[in-house]
Amino acid sequence: MLKRYFPIVEWLPGYDRQTLSQDLFAAVIVTLMVIPQALAYALLAGLPAVTGLYASMLPLIAYTVFGTSRTLAVGPMAIVALMTAAALSNIVATGTVAYSEAAATLAFLSGGMLMLMGVFRLGFFANFLSHPVVSGLLSASGVLIATSQLGNLLGITMSGFTLIEQLAGLITHWQDFNVLTALIGLGSLAFLVGMRRAGPTLRRLGMTTTLSGFITKAGPIIAVMISTLLVWAFNLEAYGVAVVGEIPRHLPPLALPSLDPTLISTLLMPAFLISLVGFIESVSLAQMLAAKRRQRIAPDQELFALGGSNLAAAVSSSMPVTGSLSRTVINFDAGARTPAAGSFAALGVALVTLYLTPLIHFLPIATLAASIIVSTFTLLDARGLKRTWHYSKRDFAAMLATIVLTFVSGVEVGVMVGVGLSLALFLYTTSRPHSALVGRVPGTEHFRNVERYTTEHDPSVALLRVDESLYFANARYLEDTVYAMVAERPALKHVVLISSAVNLIDASALESLEAINSRLNDSQVKLHLAEVKGPVMDRLKQSDFLDHLTGEVFLSTYHAWEALHDEKTVVKPTQDASSS
């Protein structure tokens, strides 16, 4: 039980000096790389820049205690920051103390939901969003995040959380355009894009893969240093270049978030959506990196860990957090071996907050906007759009609908519609399960679809393979399929339902099977089952269905064929069995 909720007790006893040195090195790299990102994501959420630093302290320590991934790094994330801003902007005024308090309350609600889901092992909720829908949601969110920063990039005042609102604001306030801000912003953007693509060039110049990778990832730090020096040296703040300004030089104040009932009821749905999206992204990333090191994570415990991280954020005047793609990849590449690297990084951020924040005063907002825009490149999945289009037009339609609605109505609506579309697609697909009449491949014990293979069959025996679990949504469809098959075959005496793909028969499907059994009996046709899985058979034995079954339950389709067919009436194929 202790290891279930506190994975730290599993790896901490074996923590040695070599692991410590690797974790410390990774923490230093992460601290240096993510400070600009933390500041930027706080501004994206509509919060003071220092909130991003606060969100990179206690939440990381909480994840060290509760997390199962050795390399996942929690903190502010672009899409969660955007969803935070969208949730709070219509409730309280941006930039006020009440806005910061509401952000902490949002983190508190998200953390509570995640922990409860972890306690009750409800990680399967993440499956309610299909991968094409998630891909569409992230791609659309990436575009929204990028366009939301165009104003900061060019010195234009703009707002809004839909694509139409953002573009309209950009056009309406075009007169606010600031040349110096645009030069800094566009210059930073070009530099960051160039740094992302500089790896091959640096390696051709003789640098090692490790060194070239470090330099390319250090692009944001270099851009921050250069642009900050320029603003300070030439006093560009006096010419309208917006800067981060003064950042409090103290650790996050510890306090309980606002528990106002009205505020809580308003934020319940946004908190759930933030929790869902954050969990899906975190677990997907953690599983991918764990597989590279032949490690494993526990998704249900990850719910608990992310919940604890958000509760830590809530009591430290912070914002909702989740597993961050960029800082996790940096953490992994830097060689982090345990979650302790996150705690060391938290200590590094704390030291920066206490002693180095005066150096950030002249950091231009335009540079942070450029870093946010570049970070959205990882969210865009144009290849996924193309792949889904070619593979499944139905999934592509759901993906496209999610993208359009996210553009038009915002991320929250996109998430809700995405969940709805994912469930609707599942219900539609499984409500019309694929089934096939199968025949025997001559000379073998194999049975294949009569429309795909050359087989032998007996007009008095119908071998029907159902390729889906049977539940309330497809029970009636199964009845219609069987009745239509019987009506077309006057010589039919036996119907065998091959259940090799059936993992579940719920109460509604059981009633349909009883109805099929009764109606076939009225038509002097016996119903048989074959290849019923153990758990399904256990459930059937708890009912009286098997007592009233007119036929038998066969171990395999071949056994059913041997027992029921009449060699005199078997229709032999005119050619050798082959795939048609």
Side-chain angles (χ1 to χ4, degrees), residues 93 95-102:
T96 62
V97 174
Y99 189 95
S100 296
E101 291 176 348

Side-chain angles (χ1 to χ4, degrees), residues 174-210:
W174 183 252
Q175 66 274 11
D176 296 337
F177 176 79
N178 184 285
V179 175
L180 291 175
T181 299
L183 287 174
I184 292 173
L186 295 175
S188 299
L189 182 63
F191 174 77
L192 291 173
V193 171
M195 287 296 288
R196 287 173 66 94
R197 300 176 178 178
T201 301
L202 294 176
R203 286 191 291 273
R204 283 196 297 269
L205 294 175
M207 290 188 183
T208 63
T209 301
T210 302

Side-chain angles (χ1 to χ4, degrees), residues 127-140 280 379 381 384-389 391-403 406 414 418-419 421-422 425:
N127 298 329
F128 286 173
L129 275 171
S130 67
H131 185 269
V133 167
V134 170
S135 178
L137 175 67
L138 293 179
S139 295
I280 291 172
L379 299 177
D381 188 14
L385 277 168
K386 181 179 180 181
R387 182 174 59 250
T388 305
W389 166 258
Y391 186 76
S392 172
K393 299 297 189 292
R394 189 180 301 160
D395 284 336
F396 179 81
M399 191 178 192
L400 186 62
T402 303
I403 291 174
T406 302
V419 171
L421 286 173
S422 297
L425 281 174

Side-chain angles (χ1 to χ4, degrees), residues 41-48 81 85 94-96 99:
Y41 288 163
L43 295 175
L44 176 62
L47 293 160
T94 304
T96 62
Y99 189 95

Side-chain angles (χ1 to χ4, degrees), residues 115-184:
M115 291 199 83
L116 285 175
M117 291 171 68
V119 169
F120 293 105
R121 300 177 181 270
L122 300 180
F124 65 87
F125 269 118
N127 298 329
F128 286 173
L129 275 171
S130 67
H131 185 269
V133 167
V134 170
S135 178
L137 175 67
L138 293 179
S139 295
S141 299
V143 174
L144 285 182
I145 292 167
T147 54
S148 73
Q149 295 305 301
L150 290 178
N152 290 331
L153 196 74
L154 304 174
I156 299 172
T157 303
M158 57 179 287
S159 61
F161 300 99
T162 69
L163 191 61
I164 296 174
E165 290 173 345
Q166 291 171 351
L167 295 179
L170 194 65
I171 295 173
T172 303
H173 298 94
W174 183 252
Q175 66 274 11
D176 296 337
F177 176 79
N178 184 285
V179 175
L180 291 175
T181 299
L183 287 174
I184 292 173

